[in-house]
Amino acid sequence: MKLSIVLSTHAAAFQAVAFKGDFEANVAKIAGWGYDGVELAVRDPKLVNAGELERVISSHNLAVPAIGTGQAWGEEGLSFTSDDEKVRAAAIERISSHVPLAAHLDAIVILGLIRGITPEGQTHERSMEYLVEAIQACAAAAEGTNVRFALEPMNRYETDLIHSATQGLDLIERVGADNFGLLLDTFHMNIEEADIHDSIRAVGDRIFHFHVADSNRWYPGAGHLDFMSILEELDATGYDGFVSGEFMPLPDADTAAEMGLGFLRAL
Ligand code: LER
Ligand code: MN
């Protein structure tokens, strides 16, 4: 099992990003604990020095399995489903601008909060149409590259759009692109799925990436999820990607990162 943890390239407002601050020192710590990769949270690839980033990461023998993009929603309000055409276009443009960096790092591009929330006065179906169009545009922008996009079903308290694996699979049908799949996150699945195992099995080879946090969004082992059976189910799908820690920096970021890794390795 290849394990990674989320690391922001800049200070991040999203509270489940465990590591913010000094990038190189954090990469060194993550490698030192024995993680195999770092999942990068990048608000805008323009603000990232790709050469320097790659130097730091490869000097610690780490992979970058995925790039998270949600800060563009959290900090700039970019959204695939805004009622403002300019905002939708800017969101598509921003996600498309991740393709060269993702291609270089061989990383999945995550579509999480960038899908937005249905604005007042707009129907849910209109949001879904915008969402499908936006993902199709991004998928087309990555054609001819190795880059794949993974939409993350997220719990009802964060968005009204795509909560479950079933809804994610319907969206895959509507989008109709081979380079589009899902990111499953145990924290969200624990809230939304009737049965986490059935959902993992149903998504199967369309699982492009996998997030772990326990039921309380602390590190795995700190809550009541049965990670042994969850990871066995994931393995049975043939998934050979990373299992990526995205949990609260509690009781502090270093302790959470070490405890989560220790718990998962012991399994
Ligand atoms: C992002 O990966 C995620 O899981 C969301 O809960 C962000 O708010
Ligand atoms: Mn997640």
Side-chain angles (χ1 to χ4, degrees):
M1 184 167 55
K2 293 177 287 187
L3 297 174
S4 56
I5 187 165
V6 175
L7 175 66
S8 179
T9 53
H10 291 85
F14 171 36
Q15 59 176 357
V17 173
F19 286 89
K20 312 167 188 178
D22 183 30
F23 184 73
E24 182 147 18
N26 284 327
V27 168
K29 277 200 281 193
I30 288 167
W33 288 318
Y35 281 95
D36 309 295
V38 277
E39 174 182 322
L40 299 176
V42 177
R43 179 168 69 77
D44 185 345
K46 252 199 334 281
L47 306 175
V48 171
N49 179 335
E52 176 62 7
L53 186 101
E54 212 195 348
R55 182 195 66 73
V56 170
I57 287 167
S58 60
S59 73
H60 291 281
N61 285 320
L62 292 173
V64 179
I67 298 175
T69 60
Q71 292 171 12
W73 156 259
E75 294 173 34
E76 297 174 71
L78 298 187
S79 157
F80 282 165
T81 58
S82 168
D83 51 10
D84 181 337
E85 193 181 341
K86 285 197 207 71
V87 174
R88 294 198 303 275
I92 293 169
E93 165 69 30
R94 176 63 60 81
I95 294 301
S96 302
S97 79
H98 281 272
V99 170
L101 180 65
H104 195 64
L105 297 169
D106 199 18
I108 303 260
V109 177
I110 296 172
L111 306 177
L113 288 165
I114 194 78
R115 67 173 157 296
I117 299 171
T118 298
E120 227 181 286
Q122 181 169 294
T123 64
H124 187 267
E125 182 45 32
R126 175 47 59 90
S127 295
M128 288 302 296
E129 285 161 12
Y130 287 152
L131 181 58
V132 170
E133 281 167 23
I135 296 169
Q136 285 172 336
C138 295
E143 238 168 58
T145 74
N146 55 340
V147 175
R148 298 184 297 159
F149 297 92
L151 183 120
E152 179 173 27
M154 289 188 327
N155 74 72
R156 66 194 68 185
Y157 307 108
E158 295 191 51
T159 179
D160 63 313
L161 301 163
I162 315 295
H163 299 145
S164 66
T166 306
Q167 292 167 344
L169 287 168
D170 287 346
L171 183 65
I172 287 174
E173 281 277 301
R174 285 180 73 167
V175 169
D178 289 343
N179 59 357
F180 175 59
L182 299 183
L183 152 56
L184 297 184
D185 180 323
T186 56
F187 173 73
H188 297 299
M189 285 195 287
N190 183 53
I191 297 171
E192 295 295 344
E193 305 297 339
D195 184 307
I196 293 179
H197 304 84
D198 288 350
S199 299
I200 290 173
R201 207 174 315 120
V203 182
D205 63 4
R206 284 298 182 126
I207 302 176
F208 283 5
H209 193 50
F210 202 82
H211 277 167
V212 283
D214 218 317
S215 50
N216 46 8
R217 219 171 201 181
W218 280 51
Y219 56 85
H224 58 72
L225 287 184
D226 177 5
F227 278 101
M228 182 61 126
S229 67
I230 289 171
L231 294 174
E232 272 174 0
E233 196 72 62
L234 179 65
D235 189 53
T237 67
Y239 181 76
D240 68 351
F242 277 69
V243 169
S244 204
E246 182 194 51
F247 37 75
M248 310 271 271
L250 294 170
D252 60 79
D254 289 10
T255 305
E258 276 198 273
M259 296 290 285
L261 183 81
F263 178 82
L264 293 172
R265 287 276 184 242
L267 293 185

